[in-house]
Amino acid sequence: MKQHEHFKFSPGVIAYPVFFVLTIWLVFWFEVRFGYNLSKYGVYPQTLKGLRGVVLSPFLHGDIEHIYHNTIPLFVLSTALFYFYRPIAWRVILFGILISGFLTWCIGRPSYHIGASGLIYVLVSFTFFKGVFAKHYRLIALSLLVIFLYGSMIWYTFPIKEGISWEGHLSGLITGLVFALFFRKEIAKPKKYAWEQENYNEENDPFLQHFDENGNFIETKEEPEIEEELKPLSIRYIFKENKD
C-alpha cells in the first residue's frame, strides 16, 4: 500500500505522542523534585562532550514556561505526523532529533542548547513541505493549518531574541525540508480514475461497453441490475425523459 492512500486512526496515533510528551515532563519533574539541573547535558557546540546533547537535549528544559511552550506544539505536530505519515513517523522523529541536533552542534554558539524546539521545527518544516510536494488536498490543508498555527515561528530561525537557540530552530527547519525531499517518493498521488491511467484502453472499459459511439445505451440481458443503473446515463434516455 502506498503512503497516504488511506488515513486510518490507530491507538499509536495518540499513544506515541502522549508517551513522548510525558517523558519530557517526567524528566522536568525529576529536576525540580530532586534539585538537579541537567542543562549541562544539552548540546554544547564543537566539543566532544557536547555531542551527548544531540540525543538528550530534546528532553531538557530550563523552566515551566519553556517546557509548556514546547510540549503543546510537539504533541499536536507529532499526532498529525503519526496519523498522516505513520510508516515514516518514527524515522522522521528519531533522525530529526539526531540530524538537527548535530547541525546545532556544528553551527551553534558556545553555550548549552536545550529543549525540543529543534524537533518542533523539524515537524513544522516537514509537514508543510511534504503537503506541498504531495499535491493531496488533505495534506495541503494540513500544511495550511500548520502555517496558520505556527507560521510566525519562522522569525525565530534568526537571532532576534537573546536566550533562544535560533541555531537549533534553523537546523530543524533545514532538516524538515531535507526529509520532505528525501521521502518524496513515498507520497501517494491523488487517486486517478480509470481513464486517467497510462495503460488505459477505452475498448476494454467495462463501463463504456454498455454504450455505443453516440452515447446511446446498449440493452443486454446479461446484467440487468447494472443496466438499470447505467440506463439513465444514455443520451437517448435523457432526451426522452425531458421530452416526456
Side-chain angles (χ1 to χ4, degrees):
M1 181 183 294
K2 294 289 187 179
Q3 174 71 9
H4 312 312
E5 285 184 350
H6 300 283
F7 303 117
K8 296 181 179 180
F9 181 84
S10 68
V13 171
I14 296 295
Y16 296 140
V18 167
F19 175 77
F20 195 33
V21 169
L22 284 179
T23 301
I24 293 175
W25 277 95
L26 182 62
V27 172
F28 182 74
W29 171 85
F30 177 83
E31 288 187 88
V32 174
R33 176 65 178 81
F34 297 101
Y36 284 95
N37 185 353
L38 302 179
S39 297
K40 62 181 180 180
Y41 293 100
V43 175
Y44 199 94
Q46 300 164 25
T47 65
L48 186 61
K49 186 171 65 174
L51 277 173
R52 63 189 177 185
V54 170
V55 175
L56 300 177
S57 62
F59 302 94
L60 308 176
H61 292 80
D63 52 40
I64 190 69
E65 183 180 3
H66 188 201
I67 191 173
Y68 172 77
H69 287 300
N70 274 358
T71 50
I72 290 180
L74 181 62
F75 175 76
V76 172
L77 293 166
S78 58
T79 300
L81 180 72
F82 277 100
Y83 181 75
F84 289 98
Y85 305 105
R86 193 178 318 128
I88 59 175
W90 278 116
R91 280 181 284 173
V92 171
I93 289 179
L94 295 178
F95 288 110
I97 290 174
L98 295 177
I99 296 176
S100 64
F102 180 72
L103 287 177
T104 303
W105 182 84
C106 292
I107 67 175
R109 293 160 292 172
S111 177
Y112 288 107
H113 299 252
I114 60 173
S117 55
L119 177 59
I120 292 172
Y121 274 81
V122 171
L123 298 179
V124 168
S125 178
F126 172 79
T127 304
F128 172 73
F129 289 110
K130 191 86 156 59
V132 172
F133 295 153
K135 299 180 181 178
H136 189 293
Y137 71 98
R138 288 190 180 184
L139 302 182
I140 292 175
L142 177 63
S143 297
L144 295 176
L145 178 62
V146 166
I147 289 300
F148 175 76
L149 293 175
Y150 305 115
S152 61
M153 292 172 59
I154 187 66
W155 299 112
Y156 293 101
T157 59
F158 303 99
I160 61 174
K161 188 174 181 180
E162 187 178 354
I164 291 182
S165 177
W166 65 269
E167 300 96 330
H169 299 169
L170 180 61
S171 298
L173 185 70
I174 294 172
T175 302
L177 173 58
V178 171
F179 282 1
L181 292 169
F182 180 79
F183 291 114
R184 195 171 182 177
K185 291 183 179 180
E186 299 190 40
I187 301 175
K189 302 299 180 183
K191 185 177 180 180
K192 293 184 178 181
Y193 293 99
W195 56 83
E196 296 178 301
Q197 304 293 335
E198 295 180 359
N199 59 349
Y200 173 69
N201 188 340
E202 185 175 306
E203 296 180 357
N204 297 329
D205 192 320
F207 178 81
L208 295 180
Q209 290 177 2
H210 290 274
F211 299 88
D212 62 21
E213 59 183 6
N214 296 319
N216 298 315
F217 181 74
I218 303 175
E219 295 187 8
T220 64
K221 297 181 180 180
E222 297 178 357
E223 301 173 336
E225 68 282 356
I226 297 181
E227 291 182 9
E228 290 302 320
E229 296 181 6
L230 298 179
K231 193 173 182 179
L233 299 176
S234 168
I235 294 178
R236 180 184 298 174
Y237 182 84
I238 294 174
F239 279 109
K240 181 181 178 181
E241 290 293 308
N242 292 337
K243 185 176 180 181
D244 294 342

